[in-house]
């Protein structure tokens, strides 16, 4: 039971390049989330998926797209990376998106955009 | 003003000391989550609570819903407790999105 897994762990991009961050969970959770973490700031929600087939914008969605490929997988795509997207990205999942639902986090992807 | 405030922002302690990290919030909540993040590492769940107190090993978390305040205590601290501790709340406003504090960076010296 791996929990929430993310790939890659580290990535360096040049401005304008694209890439997809992968996330998968094996806990049969319905809801999945993408966050970014920047120094001095709390985690900020980029996009979330309350259930398979649905996605919604979070607090900072600009410059990102997501795909809920199936119940297990939720990917985050940067179409044209910018230095402002240098950050640590965390994927999380929870059983449902209703209240009192504990979120479980992946190990993170450290992204640098030059 | 942030909806979730943690104090202190940074804390250095000697091994064996009793440590308290505080979290205050300004919204109505259904639950509060304490998380731990080691340097360069992932985020691990410590406690999720909506009332009272929970204990796991040397860690104790308390919450006072009326005062909108939670504390995380570490007894007999150890260098391996060095990490960032993050408070996150689940508002009752109908959204299921966490609101995160900015974290408390703890360093325990041997």
């Amino acid at each position: 039971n791996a929990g929430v897994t993310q790939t890659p762990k580290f990535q360096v991009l040049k401005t304008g390049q694209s890439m997809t961050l992968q996330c998968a969970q094996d806990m049969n959770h319905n809801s999945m989330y993408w966050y970014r973490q920047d120094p001095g700031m709390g985690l900020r929600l980029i996009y979330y998926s309350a259930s398979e087939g649905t996605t919604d914008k979070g607090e900072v969605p600009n410059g990102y797209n997501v795909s809920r490929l199936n119940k297990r997988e939720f990917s985050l795509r940067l179409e044209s990376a910018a230095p402002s997207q240098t950050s640590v990205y965390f994927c999380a999942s929870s059983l449902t998106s209703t209240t009192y639902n504990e979120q479980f986090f992946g190990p993170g992807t450290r992204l640098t955009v030059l | 003003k942030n909806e979730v405030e943690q104090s202190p922002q940074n804390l250095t302690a000697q091994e064996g000391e009793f440590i308290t990290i505080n979290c205050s919030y300004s919204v109505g909540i259904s639950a509060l989550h304490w998380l731990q993040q080691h340097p360069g590492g992932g985020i691990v769940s410590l406690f999720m609570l909506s009332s009272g107190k929970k204990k796991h090993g040397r860690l104790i978390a308390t919450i006072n819903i009326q005062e909108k305040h939670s504390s995380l205590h570490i007894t007999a601290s150890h260098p391996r407790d060095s990490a960032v501790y993050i408070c996150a709340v689940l508002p009752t406003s109908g959204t299921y999105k966490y609101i995160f504090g900015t974290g408390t960076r703890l360093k325990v010296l041997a």
Side-chain angles (χ1 to χ4, degrees), chain A residues 33 35 37 40-45 48 50 56-58 88 90 97-108 110, chain B residues 30-31 33 35 37 40-50 54 86 90-92 95-98 100-102:
Chain A
Y33 312 82
Y35 295 95
Q37 185 181 43
M41 305 185 77
L43 286 149
R44 293 184 292 169
L45 183 65
Y48 62 97
D56 286 287
K57 294 178 181 179
V88 182
F90 288 96
S97 58
T98 56
T99 55
Y100 202 79
N101 259 276
E102 184 175 0
Q103 291 186 20
F104 296 85
F105 290 83
R110 191 172 295 271
Chain B
S30 60
H33 202 168
L35 305 158
Q37 184 176 25
I43 297 170
V44 174
S45 173
L46 295 176
F47 298 102
M48 191 159 188
L49 64 167
S50 58
K54 285 191 176 180
I86 301 168
L90 271 172
T92 54
T95 178
Y96 40 84
K97 302 172 203 173
Y98 277 12
F100 292 88
T102 54

Side-chain angles (χ1 to χ4, degrees), chain B residues 24-101:
Chain B
S24 296
Y25 50 91
S26 58
V27 297
I29 69 167
S30 60
L32 183 144
H33 202 168
W34 280 103
L35 305 158
Q36 180 192 56
Q37 184 176 25
H38 280 102
I43 297 170
V44 174
S45 173
L46 295 176
F47 298 102
M48 191 159 188
L49 64 167
S50 58
S51 65
K53 178 179 173 178
K54 285 191 176 180
K55 184 176 189 292
H56 186 259
R58 295 180 294 106
L59 272 59
I60 303 165
T62 63
I63 188 168
N64 185 317
I65 294 290
Q66 287 74 30
E67 293 186 4
K68 292 187 165 63
H69 182 268
S70 175
S71 293
L72 177 68
H73 305 287
I74 304 174
T75 61
S77 60
H78 189 276
R80 64 175 175 266
D81 296 324
S82 297
V84 175
Y85 293 84
I86 301 168
C87 171
V89 301
L90 271 172
T92 54
S93 61
T95 178
Y96 40 84
K97 302 172 203 173
Y98 277 12
I99 303 175
F100 292 88

